[in-house]
Amino acid sequence: MIYTKEVENMCPVAKGAKHEPAPIPEEGKWVNAKQITDISGFTHGVGWCAPQQGACKLSLNVKNGVIEEALVETIGCSGMTHSAAMAAEILQGKTILEALNTDLVCDAINTAMRELFLQIVYGRTQSAFSDDGLAIGAGLEDLGKGLRSQVGTMYATKEKGVRYLEMAEGYVTGIALDDDNEVIGYQFVSLGKMTDFIKKGDDPNTAWEKAKGQYGRVDDAAKIIDPRQE
């Protein structure tokens, strides 16, 4: 350690107060975090790129400062999906400080990492008051049984009205309209379920039928339109 002459000539003054860092809630405990290994928690956050062309939802499960589980979900940018593939390989096994200072390939993913870091080190995680936090694998629960991101895609024009394209349940195949041409429901097919049926041996047409569903007053519809063709 190098000191200036002015500091060397100063007389010592003892430090009296012992002021600990403010305790933060972590997995059902209050922790005076002093180093990265003191940090644990499961949380989510969203990041965006500079032109705001796309967004990333990042979920991390941190135990003793190390990222044990990472879920990277992207929307709006085709290149970001490939960046997410690389980021998922990079993130697991790193400390959160390493991850914060690592290029995660895409601005949106890097921004999400920054936002999550702030949540985690300030004790704002989803698991802050959960004893022992969440088990490794909890991130998959966000995806549901089909292990697919929940995506909503809606398009509308003043001239022709709304088109539902994708719901949490799946790919929208039809919009139910009443006599006034107002939406009263929709039909969908769960692409995750359909794929699983095919993997188990069903032919595509059978799998399609088994994966179909509907929501709302579809049975009362005056007509059903294809949102992509009509």
Side-chain angles (χ1 to χ4, degrees):
M1 191 73 70
I2 299 175
Y3 297 96
T4 65
K5 198 66 177 175
E6 291 79 6
V7 173
E8 287 182 348
N9 290 335
M10 291 178 180
C11 64
V13 175
K15 179 181 177 180
K18 181 175 174 56
H19 191 67
E20 293 283 354
I24 61 174
E26 290 184 28
E27 301 190 338
K29 300 182 292 291
W30 289 95
V31 178
N32 296 103
K34 299 179 182 179
Q35 51 194 2
I36 290 298
T37 53
D38 293 332
I39 302 295
S40 295
F42 180 93
T43 199
H44 320 270
V46 175
W48 53 93
C49 57
Q52 299 191 14
Q53 177 180 346
C56 166
K57 177 190 173 187
L58 181 61
S59 303
L60 297 179
N61 202 344
V62 178
K63 303 290 186 184
N64 302 316
V66 176
I67 297 171
E68 297 287 348
E69 176 187 15
L71 172 64
V72 189
E73 301 173 83
T74 67
I75 190 169
C77 173
S78 57
M80 199 191 301
T81 62
H82 297 78
S83 299
M86 291 183 275
E89 290 193 46
I90 292 168
L91 282 165
Q92 25 93 9
K94 283 188 176 290
T95 69
I96 55 170
L97 185 59
E98 285 181 292
L100 179 68
N101 290 287
T102 299
D103 183 3
L104 300 175
V105 189
C106 168
D107 281 350
I109 305 173
N110 284 317
T111 302
M113 182 64 226
R114 180 194 71 197
E115 297 301 306
L116 260 68
F117 182 87
L118 294 174
Q119 288 184 35
I120 293 166
V121 298
Y122 284 130
R124 303 297 194 273
T125 64
Q126 304 295 311
S127 60
F129 299 102
S130 302
D131 288 342
D132 299 322
L134 299 180
I136 308 304
L140 291 179
E141 295 179 6
D142 284 356
L143 299 178
K145 292 182 180 179
L147 297 185
R148 287 173 57 87
S149 296
Q150 296 187 52
V151 177
T153 307
M154 313 299 156
Y155 178 74
T157 62
K158 180 181 176 182
E159 182 68 22
K160 298 296 183 179
V162 71
R163 298 295 186 276
Y164 299 172
L165 301 174
E166 188 96 18
M167 289 284 193
E169 299 95 332
Y171 178 97
V172 177
T173 57
I175 302 177
L177 305 179
D178 63 13
D179 291 325
D180 296 320
N181 285 333
E182 294 182 355
V183 178
I184 58 172
Y186 54 89
Q187 298 171 322
F188 62 87
V189 60
S190 172
L191 296 180
K193 289 181 180 179
M194 179 181 170
T195 304
D196 287 340
F197 289 140
I198 292 173
K199 287 192 293 185
K200 291 177 181 177
D202 287 343
D203 66 84
N205 288 332
T206 300
W208 173 273
E209 291 300 322
K210 290 171 67 174
K212 286 167 62 176
Q214 62 185 44
Y215 181 83
R217 296 188 291 115
V218 176
D219 294 336
D220 299 332
K223 62 180 176 180
I224 297 175
I225 64 170
D226 182 333
R228 292 170 174 80
Q229 300 296 328
E230 298 177 76

